[in-house]
Each structure stands twice: as structure tokens, then as C-alpha cells.
Amino acid sequence: WTQNRCALFRRLWRALGINHNMNIIRWILVIPIGILGWGTALILGMALYELAIYACPKEQLISGMCVAEWFESVITIIMLFSFSIAAVLVVILPTIIAPSHKVTIAIIAYIIGAIFALHCGYSINEWLMAIIALFIGLLSVIFIYRFNKRQLHA
């Protein structure tokens, strides 16, 4: 399927009169796409936080801070969700865009993401979030490995 997709893109580029090799463009985009995945998770987490603040009753909103009993649990869930989405996107998106060496790209993206997750966990003293991000990222790498292994034997 990947070869058919690449052939389709090559035909599209030729039809548009673009003579550049698509692979060069895809390699250039690998790092920005990983950063975009992280940024997407960050923005999603911030939007969910704003939604949680909006759901807080007015009488329990003090100086823009919600003091409702349930709010801390909701924030923990939002953070876990955002860290997990970031871990998946940081590994999967660069792997999808890379023209080859997908498992290697997944491992490199995971290592970079793991370093960043550990730094974030240390910075905000949320080790559970970092550990979950490491686990979800590792599951993403395993998924990429198994998916590519299956494609090679098909």
C-alpha cells in the first residue's frame, strides 16, 4: 500500500509540474511533524482545561481557579490524556511521513519523546504522567514494528 501511495504522489507531483523528489520533502518534514504532534496534544490539553474551568460552578470559581472537589481529578485525567496523545503522535506522525526506515524513525522519535517526557515529569513533579507517556510511546513503537513486520511478510 505504501508503494502505491508513493507512486500516486509521484504522479501527482509530475502532473503539477513539480520535478522534486517527494522523498526529500518527506525527510525534511519528519522533525516538524513530530513537533506538530506534541503541539497538537498540548493545545488539546489546554482546550480541555478551559472546558473544565467553564464547567466549574460560578460559586466555586475563585480568581479564575476552580475549587470544586472534582476539579483536581478532572485535571489529572486531562493531563494523562494529553501526555498519552502526545506520546502517540510524537512516535506515529514522523513514522508515517518518513519515506523509509520507519521502525528506526519510531525508535528515535520515542527516545527524543522519552527524554522530553522525563524532563516534563521532573519539571512539574508529575512522574506518573512521564511514566504513562513512556509506556504509551513504547506501545506505539511496538505497534509500528509489528505493522511493518506484517507488511514485509505480506
Side-chain angles (χ1 to χ4, degrees):
W1 186 78
T2 303
Q3 289 176 348
N4 292 338
R5 186 181 65 203
C6 288
L8 177 69
F9 278 119
R10 275 191 221 105
R11 277 189 243 130
L12 177 64
W13 283 104
R14 269 188 255 130
L16 293 173
I18 300 171
N19 295 323
H20 298 292
N21 188 350
M22 184 66 172
N23 285 346
I24 294 171
I25 296 168
R26 289 175 68 189
W27 279 120
I28 290 170
L29 290 175
V30 166
I31 293 173
I33 289 294
I35 295 168
L36 179 69
W38 175 81
T40 301
L42 178 67
I43 290 170
L44 179 63
M46 291 167 48
L48 290 172
Y49 175 80
E50 289 300 321
L51 189 63
I53 290 287
Y54 181 75
C56 185
K58 297 263 188 229
E59 61 274 359
Q60 294 186 331
L61 197 59
I62 301 171
S63 298
M65 185 72 174
C66 184
V67 294
E69 292 177 15
W70 53 267
F71 190 73
E72 193 170 323
S73 298
V74 169
I75 294 306
T76 301
I77 291 168
I78 289 171
M79 288 179 66
L80 286 171
F81 178 74
S82 299
F83 269 64
S84 299
I85 293 295
V88 169
L89 294 179
V90 163
V91 172
I92 299 286
L93 291 180
T95 305
I96 290 171
I97 203 77
S100 62
H101 306 290
K102 293 189 179 285
V103 174
T104 305
I105 294 297
I107 292 168
I108 292 169
Y110 173 73
I111 291 169
I112 293 169
I115 291 167
F116 191 73
L118 289 171
H119 172 71
C120 287
Y122 174 76
S123 296
I124 63 172
N125 201 25
E126 287 287 350
W127 292 105
L128 176 64
M129 306 298 168
I131 290 169
I132 286 178
L134 293 174
F135 179 71
I136 299 293
L138 184 60
L139 288 178
S140 300
V141 171
I142 292 168
F143 172 79
I144 295 291
Y145 173 76
R146 296 183 108 192
F147 181 77
N148 280 317
K149 186 178 171 185
R150 199 173 332 139
Q151 277 191 333
L152 291 174
H153 297 299

